[in-house]
Structure formats: C-alpha cells, structure tokens
Amino acid sequence: MRIDWLELEGFRNYEVLHAAFDPGVNVLFGENAQGKTNLLEAVGYLAGARSHRARMDRELIAFDRDRAIVRAGLESRKREFTVEAQLFRGQRRRLSANGVRLKTAGELSQLLRTVLFCPEDLMLIRAGSGERRRFLDDSLCQLRPRYAAALQEYHRLYEHKRRILRDWEEKPSLLELLPDFNDRMARCGAILIHYRAFYVEKLAQRAAAIHADFSGGRETMTVHYQTLRNIPDPRKPSQELYPLLLEHQEAHRRAELESRQCLSGPHKDDLVVFIDGRGAKQFASQGQTRTAALSLKLAERELHYDDLGEWPVLLLDDVLSELDRRRRDFVLRHINGGQVFITCCEEEGLDGLEEGRTFHIRAGALVE
C-alpha cells in the first residue's frame, strides 16, 4: 500500500501542489509553520475523510478559497486507484475513487490506511480518556467500515440526547423523545463496545511484546478495555450487549436528568495501561510514558498489517525530535517496510532509515 503522487488545491496553505513520492521513505523537512504537517494531514484525510487536527472540513480550506481538492494516486491490494476529496464551504464534500462517487467515508479506508504518530501522541497515556478513545476510534474506523458507520450514528444520537437533557425543564415534552434515543444509542453502542473489546485484546498482545523489547525485558506492560460496569464480557455479540446498555441507561436516568448530561454509554470508555502492575497514567515516569505510547502506536501499525497483509502508510509528524536517541533508534528499527512519511526541521538523526526521497517544504511549496 503506497501513495505514488499527491495533488492539492486550496488545502490549508497549499495553493497548488503536485508531488511524486518514494514507495519507501519520504522525508519532509523545513522550518516550522511552512506546511509539513498540512501535507501529512492531507494524506491522512484520504484514509477516511477525517482530520486529526480539524473538526470541520471547512477548516481545511484556504482562507481565500471556496473549495479545496485533495487528489492522489494509490497502489493498494495490487491495484491502482485515483482517489479524490473535494471540500466546499456550505456544501457537503464529494469523495470519489477512479471517477466513481463514494457513498461513505468508510469506503476510502478500504483503499488507503494510515497510522499517524504526532507529538501529542507521546502524552497518550497521561491524557484524558477522550484521547485514548480517539486512538481506538481512528484505527477501528479504518479497519471496520461497520464500526465507522455505528460511531458516526452514535455521535449524531448523542448530540440530540444532549440537547434534550439540556432543555427538558424548559420544554418537558422533549422527554417523550428520550426512550427512542436511548434505544438507538444502546444498539449503536453495543456495536462499538463489541469491536473495541476484540481490538484491545489484540492490541494488548502486540503492545506488550513491543514494550518488552523496548525496555530490554525489564518492564511488563498490560492494556485493558474499560467500559460499563454491568458488562462482564464486552466481547459478547452486540445483540447480547444491547439490553445491558439499556439497563445501565435506566439506572442513570435520574442522574442524567438532574445533571443534564449523558452519563451512560461507550462515550465514557477508556483504555487503561499498566506498567509492572501500576497504573501508567498515575505512576509512570516521563520515559515510561513515552515508551508505552510508542508501543501502542507500533502495535496499531502491526494490527493493520495483520488484517490487510500490507503495511499501512506511516505518518511520523515531527515526533523523532521529541525522543531521546535510544527511543528514536528503536522506532527507526521498527518501521522498515512499507511507505513512511517523516516531517522534521532538519535531516539529521535519521541514519537508521532506508534510502528514499527528501523534500524541502517552504511556504506551502515542496522542493525536492
């Protein structure tokens, strides 16, 4: 799986760009605020029409433009594709592959998969549960289109229910809608929990092995999926989880009405990490925190390979400069194989990488 070429029009600070890439390593270097991360963001967007930095598509469009285009030539599963995303102000985006319009963003994930590692991910362990849920969601949305569809619907229902809980005292009739939203949220939530449980089980095995290698066998890392307390086995089929979610919602009905917040559902889930039996979020040192986060990301990359038989495109956004020499060398040894994009301020410190192509980015322009 690789990106052969990329074209941008009106995307972030790129007026027009056309670039051809190496199937192996591509190093993008330049000063800060020149567009290195914007280019990686464009590549990542084609893996599921999601940005790791923007909530709305309009944020990706250049200030003086009404639309932006991201277009790329891909090789995936021994076939070639041309994929395109057109973004508009005030209109729905248009996604296509080989000239055929796509109905859902999930269809892009079947053509291109990416794993992004950025400086914020180094605090994945110490951050709040929302960051770890986003980590799970970003990977699972690429791996399983059904999960992506269920997550999108759950977010839509969640926003509706949140407004009902916020306004019910002023408009009591809104409470009549609550049972229907609870039912549909429970059905979608059961799908999310089921997929998350199996994914974390595989992730934990991979991450533990990588972390053991990383630490020279001196530390043990374990990862657990934490969901609703009344669900003893989240791996059960979604139809068996559904009534348990309804039961949990009913038990929290009064608390939700009083607090005007959604207190029940998989939007409260967490990924709990332990190092030598102690909670990493509370007790891990800075070095241990970085090692654990790196292990999770490298494990994610391996799971994509296991599922597809091809390495996903790896995006390393200015992360190596944040690591000490030992951790940087470990990462470089573990990313050989597949296509890699690395952004940095200078080319030094990349001795462990395979030869590839180097590009200098300056003011939204890419110069080889």
Side-chain angles (χ1 to χ4, degrees):
M1 179 173 293
R2 67 176 188 265
I3 298 175
D4 292 324
W5 54 266
L6 176 72
E7 292 180 350
L8 302 179
E9 296 179 29
F11 185 91
R12 293 287 195 181
N13 70 326
Y14 287 94
E15 183 175 348
V16 176
L17 173 132
H18 179 88
F21 297 116
D22 191 271
V25 177
N26 297 273
V27 177
L28 313 174
F29 76 97
E31 297 180 0
N32 291 330
Q34 300 302 302
K36 302 187 300 293
T37 298
N38 293 343
L39 193 147
L40 292 195
E41 186 178 26
V43 173
Y45 191 86
L46 292 176
R50 292 161 60 95
S51 164
H52 70 286
R53 299 191 299 166
R55 294 190 61 185
M56 309 294 291
D57 284 346
R58 62 173 176 265
E59 299 173 41
L60 306 176
I61 303 173
F63 294 123
D64 59 344
R65 296 291 193 100
D66 292 324
R67 72 167 187 167
I69 296 177
V70 183
R71 185 183 301 115
L74 314 177
E75 192 279 334
S76 178
R77 303 184 186 186
K78 299 181 180 180
R79 294 180 58 192
E80 294 185 352
F81 300 90
T82 298
V83 297
E84 181 179 272
Q86 296 187 49
L87 313 179
F88 304 92
R89 296 190 190 277
Q91 298 182 44
R92 294 190 63 181
R93 66 194 175 199
R94 296 176 187 171
L95 309 174
S96 64
N98 289 344
V100 178
R101 189 164 180 176
L102 304 180
K103 296 180 180 179
T104 66
E107 292 178 78
L108 282 176
S109 300
Q110 303 308 299
L111 305 179
L112 175 66
R113 295 184 185 179
T114 62
V115 171
L116 169 71
F117 195 17
C118 58
E120 293 79 7
D121 291 325
L122 290 172
M123 290 304 294
L124 185 63
I125 306 301
R126 291 276 179 83
S129 60
E131 291 300 317
R132 288 181 289 280
R133 283 195 302 276
R134 189 175 297 111
F135 164 67
L136 294 178
D137 290 341
D138 287 346
S139 188
L140 276 166
C141 282
Q142 295 187 75
L143 286 166
R144 298 292 179 262
R146 187 187 179 207
Y147 182 91
L151 181 67
Q152 182 179 22
E153 177 67 3
Y154 187 88
H155 284 164
R156 187 185 70 82
L157 295 168
Y158 172 85
E159 288 301 320
H160 280 290
K161 181 178 177 180
R162 189 177 63 84
R163 288 194 289 269
I164 291 173
L165 293 172
R166 182 191 64 193
D167 300 333
W168 74 269
E169 284 191 328
E170 292 77 16
K171 301 176 182 178
S173 61
L174 289 174
L175 292 181
E176 298 176 6
L177 304 174
L178 206 52
D180 180 56
F181 279 100
N182 281 340
D183 181 82
R184 287 190 285 167
M185 285 182 70
R187 293 184 186 278
C188 290
I191 295 173
L192 301 184
I193 291 173
H194 173 78
Y195 276 111
R196 285 175 179 175
F198 275 99
Y199 178 78
V200 172
E201 184 176 46
K202 294 179 180 180
L203 181 76
Q205 296 172 358
R206 292 285 185 171
I210 292 171
H211 188 273
D213 188 15
F214 213 153
S215 65
R218 294 186 298 272
E219 296 175 351
T220 300
M221 175 182 176
T222 55
V223 180
H224 300 286
Y225 174 45
Q226 187 176 81
T227 187
L228 306 184
R229 292 183 178 180
N230 69 325
I231 296 181
D233 184 1
R235 298 171 301 173
K236 286 183 175 295
S238 57
Q239 58 267 29
E240 295 184 31
L241 298 176
Y242 159 69
L244 297 178
L245 268 71
L246 284 179
E247 176 186 288
H248 195 270
Q249 286 177 338
E250 185 59 31
H252 289 76
R253 176 182 169 83
R254 179 178 293 276
E256 288 190 331
L257 293 176
E258 291 177 352
S259 66
R260 300 191 180 192
Q261 297 181 39
C262 297
L263 303 176
S264 173
H267 59 277
K268 309 286 284 187
D269 288 355
D270 200 356
L271 185 69
V272 185
V273 179
F274 295 89
I275 297 176
D276 292 337
R278 305 180 71 183
K281 182 177 180 180
Q282 297 82 10
F283 301 108
S285 67
Q286 184 175 358
Q288 288 174 322
T289 298
R290 293 187 173 194
T291 300
L294 285 165
S295 299
L296 288 174
K297 279 293 181 173
L298 293 174
E300 176 192 4
R301 182 172 182 255
E302 290 188 1
L303 290 182
H304 278 277
Y305 181 83
D306 292 344
D307 181 72
L308 194 61
E310 295 181 313
W311 289 110
V313 176
L314 180 62
L315 310 175
L316 297 177
D317 186 16
D318 198 25
V319 72
L320 296 179
S321 62
E322 299 284 334
L323 303 174
D324 58 38
R325 183 59 183 261
R326 183 177 64 83
R327 290 183 175 84
R328 184 169 64 245
D329 290 345
F330 184 87
V331 173
L332 294 178
R333 289 199 308 271
H334 278 72
I335 63 174
N336 289 325
Q339 190 177 43
V340 183
F341 289 82
I342 298 179
T343 69
C344 56
C345 292
E346 52 190 26
E347 301 177 70
E348 296 179 4
L350 302 177
D351 299 338
L353 281 173
E354 300 174 350
E355 292 187 6
R357 301 180 75 173
T358 300
F359 303 88
H360 183 201
I361 294 184
R362 182 172 58 232
L366 188 150
V367 182
E368 185 173 356

